[in-house]
């Protein structure tokens, strides 16, 4: 099948869709202040998929088959993502609810959607202690071994050539400081060797699939669980047990924030010779703080050449498994959140967001940022505002600076600030724009030691 990937040690080829290669021009410019770098983004990528692909990565989402009939859901999925994971439909209880009776119908709808859009398909998950049907829990040792290998074989054969990467084993280690294996039926009946047996079976069924071990709370390098998984992978690699990849689920919240040393963790695993993938990313929160964490995770992946891509665990906050945490990139109306823009811009894209899926008619605009000048203590930024396919009467967007930065001057717009002083809302001060038209506004940022680019919010048009 055209969407399959060859297994190899580095990041895989992404997406079978042909996407337009886009150039980001970085030119030197002489100003009164001396030689400065000006980043001019000429038609930068405006979707997550395109921007990720330009970086040699994929950008995926977990999908529920039951939502594919919702047009905004599917439009957002198809526009922004080039990889799909079934959020629940490829789990054991869904595919083999009673012994020997496989039901691929729901999972196949997701696979078919991915195929029709030229998207990659991640397989999640072959062997997991959760969402496991009761009949498996009751098997004796020999029966369980047969059932496990039969499940892996039947499912992988069904999706051979379609699924590029499989989460062969999911969440086999305990949380906390023990570094021990989780007390699952597989561990109890089959002993320590069950994980490698699962991987050996998987390799024998589909030698071209990328075989992953997938887990959560494996983000901080020094945690006992991270170390335990690392030791297992190192052992597998040294003994030739077939493992190609480690999946980092990356479910973050205030009690479990993105660790400072995240890229160290990814790099250390990569240094074992396996691919790393961020497989279930979501980050509780909102606004700039959520955006910064999303940007950090994206940056960590880009910093590790063996990090082949990122999957977020859902398309919209409203259908997230923890919706009250608003952990995703699109809000319940499919508007792109600041976190979306942080990811897109970290990937080198700009604008984007598709103008939202709301009901504000045809009025839409996008924004992109570039630094135009830099001096010893400050820099100037320019935001270009572009109207969509319809004329707009007015526009507004936000520019968030990163403390201790301060905006000391603005031009060509009508600014206002939030109480923190970090978020500037800029509105048009000279009316609207014709269809496809553009304008720009500018500002000076006193760096105060922080040279990070400001984060743009989405553009709102009326
Ligand atoms: O998002 C999934 C949710 O709809 C299910 O109810 C839940 C059942 O355990 O599984 C969620 O997905 C999990 C994933 O399969 C494995 N890692 C943790 C995910 C979030 O719980």
């Amino acid at each position: 099948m055209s969407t399959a990937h060859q297994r190899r040690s580095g990041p895989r080829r992404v997406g079978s869709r042909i996407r337009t290669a886009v150039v980001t021009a970085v030119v030197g410019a002489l100003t009164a202040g001396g030689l400065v770098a000006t980043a001019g983004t000429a038609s930068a990528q405006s979707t997550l998929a395109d921007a990720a692909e330009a970086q040699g990565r994929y950008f995926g989402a977990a999908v529920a088959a039951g939502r594919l009939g919702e047009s905004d859901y599917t439009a957002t999925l198809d526009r922004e993502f080039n990889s799909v994971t079934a959020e629940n439909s490829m789990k054991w209880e869904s595919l083999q609810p009673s012994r020997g009776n496989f039901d691929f119908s729901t999972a196949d709808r997701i696979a078919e959607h991915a195929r029709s859009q030229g998207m990659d398909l991640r397989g999640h998950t072959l062997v997991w202690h959760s969402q496991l049907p009761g009949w498996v829990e009751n098997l004796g040792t020999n029966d369980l071994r047969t059932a496990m290998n039969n499940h892996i074989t039947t499912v992988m054969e069904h999706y051979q050539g379609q699924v590029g990467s499989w989460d062969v084993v999911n969440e086999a280690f305990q949380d906390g400081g023990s570094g021990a294996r989780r007390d699952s039926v597989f561990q109890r009946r089959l002993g320590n060797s069950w994980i490698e047996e699962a991987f050996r079976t998987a390799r024998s069924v589909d030698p071209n699939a990328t075989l992953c071990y997938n887990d959560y709370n494996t983000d901080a390098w020094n945690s006992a669980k991270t170390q335990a998984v690392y030791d297992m992978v190192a052992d597998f690699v040294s003994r030739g047990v077939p493992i190609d990849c480690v999946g980092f689920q990356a479910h973050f919240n205030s009690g479990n924030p993105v660790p400072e040393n995240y890229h160290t963790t990814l790099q250390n695993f990569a240094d074992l010779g396996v691919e790393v993938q961020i497989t279930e990313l979501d980050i509780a929160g909102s606004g700039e703080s959520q955006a910064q964490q999303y940007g950090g995770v994206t940056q960590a992946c880009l910093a590790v050449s063996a990090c082949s891509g990122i999957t977020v665990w859902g398309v919209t906050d409203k259908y997230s498994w923890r919706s009250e945490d608003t952990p995703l990139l699109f809000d319940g109306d499919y508007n792109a959140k600041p976190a979306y823009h942080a990811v897109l811009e970290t990937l080198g894209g700009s604008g984007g967001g598709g103008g939202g899926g709301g009901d504000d008619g045809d009025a839409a605009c996008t924004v992109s940022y570039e630094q135009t000048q830099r001096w010893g203590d400050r820099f100037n930024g320019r935001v270009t505002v572009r109207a969509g396919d319809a004329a707009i009467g007015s526009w507004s967007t936000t520019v968030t600076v990163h403390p201790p930065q301060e905006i000391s001057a603005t031009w060509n717009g009508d600014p206002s600030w939030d109480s923190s002083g970090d978020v500037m809302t800029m509105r048009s001060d000279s009316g609207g724009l014709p269809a496809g038209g553009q304008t720009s506004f500018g500002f000076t940022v006193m760096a105060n030691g922080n040279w990070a680019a400001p984060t743009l919010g989405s553009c709102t048009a009326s």
Side-chain angles (χ1 to χ4, degrees), residues 175-176 215-220 223 225-226 249-251 256:
D175 289 316
D215 214 327
Y216 66 92
N217 282 354
T218 47
D219 313 293
S223 88
K225 192 169 173 183
T226 306
Q249 294 186 9
H251 294 293
N256 176 36

Side-chain angles (χ1 to χ4, degrees), residues 257-457:
V258 182
E260 285 290 324
N261 57 10
Y262 194 42
H263 83 276
T264 303
T265 303
L266 300 181
Q267 186 63 59
N268 286 346
F269 275 87
D271 287 346
L272 291 174
V274 290
E275 185 172 320
V276 296
Q277 302 186 9
I278 295 172
T279 52
E280 304 183 14
L281 177 63
D282 56 9
I283 305 176
S286 62
E288 175 60 14
S289 123
Q290 185 182 47
Q292 280 187 1
Q293 293 186 75
Y294 261 105
V297 172
T298 308
Q299 185 56 49
C301 180
L302 291 180
V304 175
S305 60
C307 181
S308 58
I310 298 174
T311 296
V312 287
W313 205 239
V315 175
T316 159
D317 281 340
K318 71 177 167 177
Y319 299 141
S320 162
W321 69 293
R322 48 177 184 150
S323 161
E324 66 285 359
D325 289 341
T326 60
L328 294 171
L329 301 177
F330 291 90
D331 70 16
D333 294 322
Y334 299 95
N335 294 307
K337 295 163 59 180
Y340 167 92
H341 292 284
V343 172
L344 182 65
E345 284 156 27
T346 304
L347 291 170
S350 68
D359 52 8
D360 44 1
D362 293 324
C365 55
T366 58
V367 280
S368 61
Y369 166 80
E370 59 195 319
Q371 186 184 98
T372 52
Q373 288 168 296
R374 174 172 168 162
W375 297 271
D377 59 347
R378 64 196 191 280
F379 59 91
N380 282 352
R382 176 167 61 213
V383 172
T384 302
V385 181
R386 292 182 184 79
D389 294 338
I392 59 175
S394 67
W395 53 263
S396 78
T397 190
T398 58
V399 175
T400 302
V401 295
H402 308 292
Q405 294 175 339
E406 286 172 57
I407 294 181
S408 61
T410 73
W411 50 97
N412 296 345
D414 177 17
S416 58
W417 276 267
D418 77 341
S419 56
S420 73
D422 298 332
V423 183
M424 175 178 75
T425 299
M426 187 65 101
R427 295 185 172 77
S428 46
D429 63 352
S430 56
L433 291 169
Q438 69 178 59
T439 187
S440 66
F441 64 85
F443 48 89
T444 299
V445 177
M446 301 307 298
N448 295 321
N450 184 348
W451 295 96
T455 304
L456 291 186

Side-chain angles (χ1 to χ4, degrees), residues 62 86-88 91 93 124-125 128 130-131 170-171 214-216 249 251 280 282 313 319-322:
E87 184 173 358
N88 287 299
K91 293 171 181 174
E93 71 173 7
H124 175 79
T125 176
W128 186 27
S130 180
Q131 291 179 284
N170 196 41
E171 302 177 7
N214 192 50
D215 214 327
Y216 66 92
Q249 294 186 9
H251 294 293
E280 304 183 14
D282 56 9
W313 205 239
Y319 299 141
S320 162
W321 69 293
R322 48 177 184 150

Side-chain angles (χ1 to χ4, degrees), residues 89-360:
S89 324
M90 287 194 191
K91 293 171 181 174
W92 193 321
E93 71 173 7
S94 306
L95 293 183
Q96 195 187 178
S98 62
R99 191 166 192 179
N101 293 318
F102 286 86
D103 179 1
F104 291 105
S105 56
T106 306
D108 281 354
R109 280 162 55 205
I110 293 176
E112 184 47 41
H113 187 85
R115 182 167 35 202
S116 74
Q117 296 296 314
M119 296 168 167
D120 292 344
L121 189 57
R122 288 197 87 257
H124 175 79
T125 176
L126 292 168
V127 192
W128 186 27
H129 67 277
S130 180
Q131 291 179 284
L132 187 66
W135 66 267
V136 182
E137 301 274 359
N138 298 326
L139 299 178
T141 299
N142 291 341
D143 248 4
L144 181 64
R145 173 169 283 117
T146 305
M148 179 181 85
N149 290 324
N150 181 55
H151 185 79
I152 293 170
T153 302
T154 307
V155 174
M156 287 188 81
E157 281 178 349
H158 185 84
Y159 289 112
Q160 191 146 16
Q162 285 187 70
V163 168
S165 298
W166 271 108
D167 292 334
V168 177
V169 171
N170 196 41
E171 302 177 7
F173 284 82
Q174 274 180 26
D175 289 316
S178 72
R181 299 284 186 90
R182 185 187 290 276
D183 178 28
S184 69
V185 65
F186 302 104
Q187 186 70 28
R188 279 195 300 278
R189 303 261 205 284
L190 307 181
N192 272 347
S193 64
W194 73 271
I195 301 182
E196 74 177 85
E197 179 161 351
F199 276 89
R200 289 188 198 282
T201 302
R203 173 70 92 240
S204 72
V205 179
D206 184 352
N208 290 323
T210 298
L211 306 182
C212 305
Y213 174 78
N214 192 50
D215 214 327
Y216 66 92
N217 282 354
T218 47
D219 313 293
W221 171 241
N222 294 318
S223 88
K225 192 169 173 183
T226 306
Q227 292 294 313
V229 173
Y230 179 86
D231 289 347
M232 178 189 74
V233 176
D235 172 53
F236 280 13
V237 170
S238 73
R239 290 191 296 114
V241 177
I243 185 168
D244 308 310
C245 141
V246 176
F248 295 82
Q249 294 186 9
H251 294 293
F252 295 112
N253 56 35
S254 56
N256 176 36
V258 182
E260 285 290 324
N261 57 10
Y262 194 42
H263 83 276
T264 303
T265 303
L266 300 181
Q267 186 63 59
N268 286 346
F269 275 87
D271 287 346
L272 291 174
V274 290
E275 185 172 320
V276 296
Q277 302 186 9
I278 295 172
T279 52
E280 304 183 14
L281 177 63
D282 56 9
I283 305 176
S286 62
E288 175 60 14
S289 123
Q290 185 182 47
Q292 280 187 1
Q293 293 186 75
Y294 261 105
V297 172
T298 308
Q299 185 56 49
C301 180
L302 291 180
V304 175
S305 60
C307 181
S308 58
I310 298 174
T311 296
V312 287
W313 205 239
V315 175
T316 159
D317 281 340
K318 71 177 167 177
Y319 299 141
S320 162
W321 69 293
R322 48 177 184 150
S323 161
E324 66 285 359
D325 289 341
T326 60
L328 294 171
L329 301 177
F330 291 90
D331 70 16
D333 294 322
Y334 299 95
N335 294 307
K337 295 163 59 180
Y340 167 92
H341 292 284
V343 172
L344 182 65
E345 284 156 27
T346 304
L347 291 170
S350 68
D359 52 8
D360 44 1

